[in-house]
Amino acid sequence: MPESLTSREKQAIATKKRIYSCGVELIKKHGYDNITVKDIAEKANVSIGNYYHYFRSKYDLLVEIFKHGDEFFEAEVPKIIEAYTDCKDILVQYFLVYAKLAINDGIDMAKNLYIPTNKMFLTHGRSMQNMLIQILKNEQEKGKIPNTLDCEEITEKLFIVARGVIFDWCLKDGKTDLFAEMQDIISRMVESYIEK
């Protein structure tokens, strides 16, 4: 935390982090649909009113979880762009970041996020999507991906496939090699888009 913050501001940041981490813990254990704001507030040892001071709704907690995922991509993707020049390698590595995010969150969290009722996956304009669209546009400018293809559509299709890989990992209780599966399947998918 920055030194310039007052003790009250530091306390507010700590309280929000505690509410968030308690919410995440409850989602991992019981699933998003099976917990209430009251459950989260009790676990975080705050009043329900205090919860609503930091999050407008239970759904806002889910939004925050996905925001953390976007921030993870914002930190990791520039390293890929710096380290790789081949179009296929960049795209495969990009989705290995997606696999890494799922592994970092843990199998219990993934099982409770990769469900049909979680409509956050349908949200457009998220940072991780925008970064991929820009990568694809850059590759189009280099002549690696045909200009006739729509970068937003490619992004959507690649994410559908990647979510399927993670969903399969969840079905198998995390007992498959998520990195190997993601690399294999995304490699095959990407090849269909790259200019030969």
Side-chain angles (χ1 to χ4, degrees):
M1 278 186 250
E3 291 295 321
S4 59
L5 294 177
T6 66
S7 60
R8 189 175 189 160
E9 289 168 330
K10 287 178 184 174
Q11 184 181 355
I13 290 168
T15 302
K16 184 175 182 180
K17 281 183 178 174
R18 187 170 74 249
I19 293 168
Y20 175 81
S21 62
C22 288
V24 166
E25 193 178 321
L26 287 170
I27 290 170
K28 283 181 180 179
K29 193 170 183 181
H30 304 290
Y32 174 80
D33 292 334
N34 300 318
I35 61 169
T36 64
V37 166
K38 183 175 182 277
D39 296 330
I40 300 165
E42 283 177 3
K43 177 97 175 144
N45 200 25
V46 298
S47 69
I48 291 174
N50 207 351
Y51 174 93
Y52 284 115
H53 177 75
Y54 296 100
F55 299 96
R56 289 174 302 186
S57 64
K58 186 176 87 165
Y59 187 74
D60 261 15
L61 183 68
L62 198 58
V63 171
E64 190 76 12
I65 290 168
F66 276 72
K67 184 178 159 203
H68 281 258
D70 283 330
E71 289 167 356
F72 183 73
F73 267 74
E74 287 164 11
E76 295 293 318
V77 171
K79 297 174 195 170
I80 293 168
I81 293 167
E82 195 175 297
Y84 296 89
T85 55
D86 179 73
C87 178
K88 182 179 173 183
D89 290 342
I90 292 169
L91 295 172
V92 169
Q93 290 300 317
Y94 180 93
F95 281 99
L96 290 180
V97 170
Y98 199 53
K100 185 178 178 183
L101 176 62
I103 288 169
N104 288 353
D105 284 345
I107 187 68
D108 292 333
M109 187 61 157
K111 283 181 175 183
N112 285 297
L113 288 180
Y114 288 80
I115 55 174
T117 55
N118 184 356
K119 303 305 180 192
M120 276 299 298
F121 288 117
L122 300 177
T123 306
H124 289 280
R126 289 182 52 214
S127 182
M128 69 170 64
Q129 296 162 339
N130 291 339
M131 282 188 282
L132 183 56
I133 290 166
Q134 191 54 56
I135 289 168
L136 291 166
K137 285 181 177 176
N138 291 345
E139 294 302 318
Q140 272 186 333
E141 285 172 16
K142 294 179 198 170
K144 301 291 184 183
I145 295 173
N147 285 323
T148 53
L149 298 177
D150 182 290
C151 293
E152 289 182 23
E153 190 178 309
I154 296 171
T155 295
E156 189 170 342
K157 289 186 186 313
L158 287 172
F159 269 107
I160 289 169
V161 170
R163 283 195 302 270
V165 173
I166 294 173
F167 181 75
D168 185 67
W169 178 68
C170 292
L171 284 175
K172 294 171 180 168
D173 297 319
K175 291 186 170 67
T176 56
D177 185 338
L178 182 56
F179 285 117
E181 286 292 304
M182 188 70 79
Q183 183 163 5
D184 179 48
I185 293 169
I186 292 294
S187 289
R188 292 167 191 260
M189 185 84 179
V190 163
E191 282 172 5
S192 68
Y193 295 120
I194 296 173
E195 199 75 92
K196 301 290 188 266

